[in-house]
Amino acid sequence: MSLVDGFKNFTVSAFRLETLPAYDVPDEVEELEAFRAGRSLPERSVRTSPWLADMAASTAAGREWRRLRLISAQPTMYEAWEVGRYVESQACGEQVRLIDRAQHPELGDRDFWLFDAGTPTAAAYLMQYDEQGGFHGADQAAAELLPGLVAIAELWNNAVSLNTYLTTFDSGRAQLSA
């Protein structure tokens, strides 16, 4: 199975852990430059993004999307831009929480997707990135790694919701723990 199959076949939940301070995604360069320059960003919604349309449809069908983002106490430009994009994802049904990078050095760069945790069809994919954050594929995790990845996913309970983060960060007193 591939990561694409994970997205096509999950029936209960999709969980994403993001750990890098920045990712090198060619399709994001133009929008990142606009963000850096303070220009308006293009609309990103179910009307303009197949990813968000799929997310909204699967959420409406009862499947759950969760994203846990390690974030720096002083966010990188990429992290700040990405947090804004999470608002749009949240509007499509994704639940997003953030957790302080400094408090979890053990996670390093262990990005992964975990599908249908706690079910017989659970599957996880370990994301592979180079030093600049360029994506180089995803490898299906061996079954013996699943309990450890599920344990990492449980950090969700110690993370702050996107809405709480935005409220506290904007006022200069960012709260990164629940």
Side-chain angles (χ1 to χ4, degrees):
M1 259 186 26
S2 70
L3 179 60
V4 172
D5 293 327
F7 288 113
K8 287 181 183 175
N9 299 326
F10 83 94
T11 59
V12 179
S13 63
F15 174 87
R16 171 76 158 113
L17 176 68
E18 288 182 313
T19 63
L20 300 181
Y23 294 86
D24 182 10
V25 181
D27 291 347
E28 296 174 345
V29 171
E30 198 172 310
E31 191 173 320
L32 276 165
E33 287 303 317
F35 177 79
R36 185 185 333 255
R39 296 190 308 266
S40 296
L41 300 178
E43 176 187 349
R44 186 170 172 264
S45 70
V46 294
R47 294 181 309 142
T48 63
S49 168
W51 174 261
L52 292 180
D54 288 347
M55 182 183 290
S58 64
T59 300
R63 292 181 294 252
E64 179 178 74
W65 290 78
R66 286 185 172 189
R67 181 178 304 266
L68 180 61
R69 177 63 154 111
L70 265 66
I71 193 161
S72 306
Q74 292 298 313
T76 65
M77 190 273 303
Y78 187 94
E79 289 171 333
W81 167 76
E82 195 172 49
V83 165
R85 291 173 56 98
Y86 293 154
V87 172
E88 299 151 337
S89 295
Q90 184 173 266
C92 295
E94 184 175 37
Q95 300 170 51
V96 180
R97 291 194 178 183
L98 299 101
I99 196 162
D100 189 350
R101 172 183 316 287
Q103 293 181 6
H104 295 283
E106 76 280 6
L107 296 178
D109 58 357
R110 295 193 58 195
D111 283 39
F112 63 87
W113 278 98
L114 174 61
F115 298 99
D116 294 338
T119 73
T121 59
Y125 297 85
L126 305 175
M127 312 298 280
Q128 306 300 324
Y129 296 97
D130 60 30
E131 290 181 13
Q132 291 75 39
F135 181 64
H136 289 279
D139 299 322
Q140 187 165 7
E144 60 268 13
L145 292 178
L146 283 177
L149 297 177
V150 170
I152 291 170
E154 290 172 0
L155 287 173
W156 177 265
N157 298 324
N158 300 324
V160 66
S161 72
L162 176 62
N163 289 348
T164 298
Y165 176 81
L166 290 171
T167 301
T168 60
F169 184 78
D170 288 345
S171 66
R173 49 186 175 82
Q175 175 183 329
L176 285 170
S177 58

